[in-house]
Amino acid sequence: MKQRYLIGNLKMNVLSVEEADQYLSVFRREMKGRKQSITTTVIVPPFLYLERFQKALPEAVSLGAQDVFWEKEGSYTGEISPLMLKDIGVEYVIVGHSERRQYGHETNEEIAKKVQALLKWNLRPILCIGETAEERRRGETSSVLEAQLKGAFEGISSLHAEKMIIAYEPRWAIGSDQVPASEDILEAKVIIYRMIASVCGAPVAERISILYGGSVKANVLKQVCFDAQMDGVLIGRESLFPYEVAKIAEIIENYEATEREAVGR
Ligand code: 13P
């Protein structure tokens, strides 16, 4: 069985150093003494607070960034280099989030360049993909997901491909309190798996973690994660409550531990 992931994307929240410190102190308290052997928890704060989070996150929790630029250095005003992230202890980087696609007008080609830059510098990309409500209505989910994935996987080695984490986040489910049925999420997972297998081969596709994101709360975990056979979740609003992060991490950990016991692994 693969590692499970709980990724908390704080987005453009936590508005001061004081708030960041408050969050960290509550989070440390909530995570204290919790055993996490199967679940990797990653917190993804705004760029400005990365260093603060790096210093004060609980030891078992990893650090992620919300975006990156594909060049290493140079005249790119406002951008952040993969090397800068690496230097301050970031391990995971979200790319292609639907909010970057929407407000930053990022294209699949640009996102693929970011993925490749991250892999080159040994950082782990969390590639977000997902269809809009309109695309779903028009029956285009499969072609949209394929187009979002394709460029990112083309021309990379198996070793690199296995470092990728895919987050299936239907745009209409983000921030809406609407969640898809387990079967719909599983169907998306199969599309993603097949697409990766066709480019990198089935053994590689099997090792890649595929997560669900969009209005995840503790009370829908069964539907969006366990029944849908996903390898974890990406949470937005709930990540602003350290208690909820700890609770969701514990539910995933306990569920997986019980499952493994049941199948004797
Ligand atoms: P919400 O959990 O707030 O819907 O956000 C999901 C998301 O976009 C995580 O990246």
Side-chain angles (χ1 to χ4, degrees):
M1 233 185 238
K2 284 187 282 194
Q3 187 72 12
R4 297 299 188 243
Y5 288 93
L6 165 57
I7 299 175
N9 176 9
L10 299 182
K11 305 193 179 182
M12 199 177 73
N13 296 296
V14 182
L15 298 183
S16 63
V17 167
E18 196 187 338
E19 252 191 73
D21 288 348
Q22 223 166 40
Y23 180 96
L24 283 161
S25 110
V26 181
F27 189 50
R28 271 198 310 275
R29 197 180 64 218
E30 293 295 341
M31 294 297 280
K32 206 171 170 187
R34 293 190 194 246
K35 202 172 62 62
Q36 285 213 293
S37 55
I38 300 158
T39 320
T40 299
T41 301
V42 183
I43 294 293
V44 189
F47 284 129
L48 271 179
Y49 305 124
L50 278 170
E51 228 174 324
R52 241 181 156 79
F53 273 67
Q54 199 280 327
K55 290 200 178 97
L57 272 178
E59 215 178 295
V61 177
S62 301
L63 185 65
Q66 296 180 14
D67 194 18
V68 70
F69 193 59
W70 56 80
E71 294 292 346
K72 184 182 100 179
E73 64 184 323
S75 303
Y76 305 104
T77 303
E79 300 292 357
I80 303 281
S81 155
L83 286 189
M84 296 171 184
L85 298 179
K86 207 175 160 65
D87 184 52
I88 53 167
V90 167
E91 290 176 67
Y92 298 84
V93 182
I94 294 176
V95 283
H97 193 281
S98 70
E99 287 148 14
R100 301 269 351 128
R101 293 178 192 264
Q102 185 182 352
Y103 303 114
H105 308 291
E106 286 190 13
T107 64
N108 288 332
E109 292 69 34
E110 287 166 343
I111 293 160
K113 285 203 267 183
K114 293 183 176 189
V115 165
Q116 273 149 25
L118 290 171
L119 292 170
K120 178 171 170 192
W121 298 107
N122 215 10
L123 287 154
R124 296 198 60 186
I126 302 164
L127 173 63
C128 296
I129 58 172
E131 81 287 1
T132 62
E134 187 51 36
E135 287 161 346
R136 169 162 284 263
R137 253 194 305 278
R138 290 200 302 254
E140 293 170 2
T141 302
S142 170
S143 59
V144 168
L145 296 183
E146 280 175 20
Q148 290 173 336
L149 279 169
K150 210 163 185 253
F153 276 92
E154 268 168 0
I156 62 173
S157 69
S158 309
L159 218 66
H160 271 163
E162 284 172 22
K163 295 239 153 48
M164 299 269 286
I165 294 173
I166 308 299
Y168 170 58
E169 298 203 301
R171 285 204 203 184
W172 51 272
I174 297 176
S176 68
D177 288 329
Q178 281 182 284
V179 285
S182 307
E183 305 79 61
D184 291 337
I185 299 176
L186 183 55
E187 201 180 306
K189 184 183 178 181
V190 173
I191 294 168
I192 295 166
Y193 172 86
R194 288 208 181 120
M195 165 67 215
I196 300 173
S198 76
V199 181
C200 307
V204 172
E206 234 136 80
R207 284 197 281 274
I208 292 176
S209 298
I210 305 174
L211 321 183
Y212 170 79
S215 295
V216 176
K217 288 191 166 109
N219 64 358
V220 294
L221 272 182
K222 185 174 173 330
Q223 177 178 338
V224 302
C225 187
F226 309 137
D227 290 353
Q229 298 174 38
M230 301 304 267
D231 303 313
V233 288
L234 175 49
I235 58 175
R237 285 160 296 162
E238 289 300 274
S239 67
L240 300 175
F241 307 102
Y243 168 76
E244 294 298 330
V245 179
K247 185 159 103 185
I248 293 172
E250 188 169 279
I251 296 173
I252 296 177
E253 181 74 18
N254 290 344
Y255 179 86
E256 293 299 341
T258 317
E259 283 291 287
R260 284 175 203 215
E261 222 172 75
V263 293
R265 277 186 275 184

